[in-house]
Amino acid sequence: MRIQTLKLILFFPFFVFAVANATAGNDQVPVMEPCRYMPSSVSKATLAGINLAKGMNLSLINQVSNILSGDLSNVPLDFIINLSVVNPNSRKVTLSEFEYILMVDNVEFFRGTVKKAHKLNPSSSRIVPLPISLNLVGLLKSSRSNTAQNMVKNFMGMGNRPTHILLQIKPVYRVGKETLLSPHIPIGFSFQGNW
């Protein structure tokens, strides 16, 4: 599914990179333009194994309502946010690691790391998937229950207000033999209804 409503929270025109593996006596840091990131789509959204993107029907609504209002010990919500990453440089860049924090309506929901390397050819783009796996039990039993329920309903296309997502990503790059660290990059968007 494509993201219908996109709102960038902040755009970084410049990055400050630090070389993690600098050789002794070499103070030069490779010059590189920052890669650009935009949410592209969300895929594989499931709640307790139920595919939330399969379309609205009464059976699905009843199943999801029973899960969200029940007294369960485990309510897994899994989905993937697919990021479009653009390398504007004339050199190949490798995303060697990717830390990220998922905030939903100003509440931290998840922290994750992608260890798989993603190679970006010069002046090219690719999709980098960020897998999200949550257990909603704690959120459903707290003051954040309405936030969690509304997000699930928005996955199904029946939420009553937008869900605001903020990703804080922290990529680690390799350019040639150098490793470059990036500061956190915020990427924000909102959605209501199907993604």
Side-chain angles (χ1 to χ4, degrees), residues 115-130:
K115 297 279 189 181
K116 180 181 176 183
H118 295 276
K119 294 180 181 178
L120 294 162
N121 289 322
S123 302
S124 70
S125 66
R126 73 172 299 160
I127 300 296
V128 175
L130 301 181

Side-chain angles (χ1 to χ4, degrees), residues 5-13 37-39 101 103-106 163-169 184-191:
T5 305
L6 174 69
K7 180 177 72 177
L8 290 179
I9 300 282
L10 187 55
F11 175 77
F12 276 81
Y37 300 87
M38 281 185 32
I101 301 168
M103 306 279 291
V104 178
D105 294 339
N106 297 317
T163 294
H164 304 288
I165 302 288
L166 176 63
L167 280 171
Q168 292 277 355
I169 63 172
H184 278 97
I185 304 165
I187 302 167
F189 58 96
S190 298
F191 73 98

Side-chain angles (χ1 to χ4, degrees), residues 92-156:
K92 182 167 72 174
V93 173
T94 300
L95 289 171
S96 58
E97 189 174 316
F98 221 105
E99 293 179 10
Y100 57 101
I101 301 168
L102 173 73
M103 306 279 291
V104 178
D105 294 339
N106 297 317
V107 177
E108 183 178 316
F109 269 46
F110 184 78
R111 287 178 180 251
T113 303
V114 173
K115 297 279 189 181
K116 180 181 176 183
H118 295 276
K119 294 180 181 178
L120 294 162
N121 289 322
S123 302
S124 70
S125 66
R126 73 172 299 160
I127 300 296
V128 175
L130 301 181
I132 310 290
S133 290
L134 308 168
N135 183 356
L136 292 183
V137 167
L139 294 167
L140 292 171
K141 294 179 180 178
S142 73
S143 61
R144 299 172 288 185
S145 176
N146 287 339
T147 298
Q149 289 187 31
N150 188 63
M151 181 174 66
V152 171
K153 289 176 182 176
N154 275 328
F155 277 124
M156 297 170 61

Side-chain angles (χ1 to χ4, degrees), residues 44-103:
K44 300 183 181 178
T46 61
L47 178 71
I50 299 168
N51 181 356
L52 297 177
K54 68 180 180 182
M56 293 285 294
N57 62 57
L58 188 56
S59 173
L60 176 65
I61 293 169
N62 287 337
Q63 283 180 295
V64 170
S65 295
N66 289 337
I67 290 169
L68 293 177
S69 61
D71 190 20
L72 302 173
S73 60
N74 188 27
V75 181
L77 174 65
D78 300 291
F79 57 97
I80 296 172
I81 296 177
N82 297 296
L83 282 184
S84 174
V85 184
V86 177
N87 174 17
N89 297 285
S90 58
R91 297 181 68 186
K92 182 167 72 174
V93 173
T94 300
L95 289 171
S96 58
E97 189 174 316
F98 221 105
E99 293 179 10
Y100 57 101
I101 301 168
L102 173 73
M103 306 279 291

Side-chain angles (χ1 to χ4, degrees), residues 165-181:
I165 302 288
L166 176 63
L167 280 171
Q168 292 277 355
I169 63 172
K170 188 172 183 179
V172 177
Y173 300 98
R174 275 199 324 269
V175 181
K177 295 182 179 181
E178 303 292 343
T179 298
L180 307 174
L181 307 178

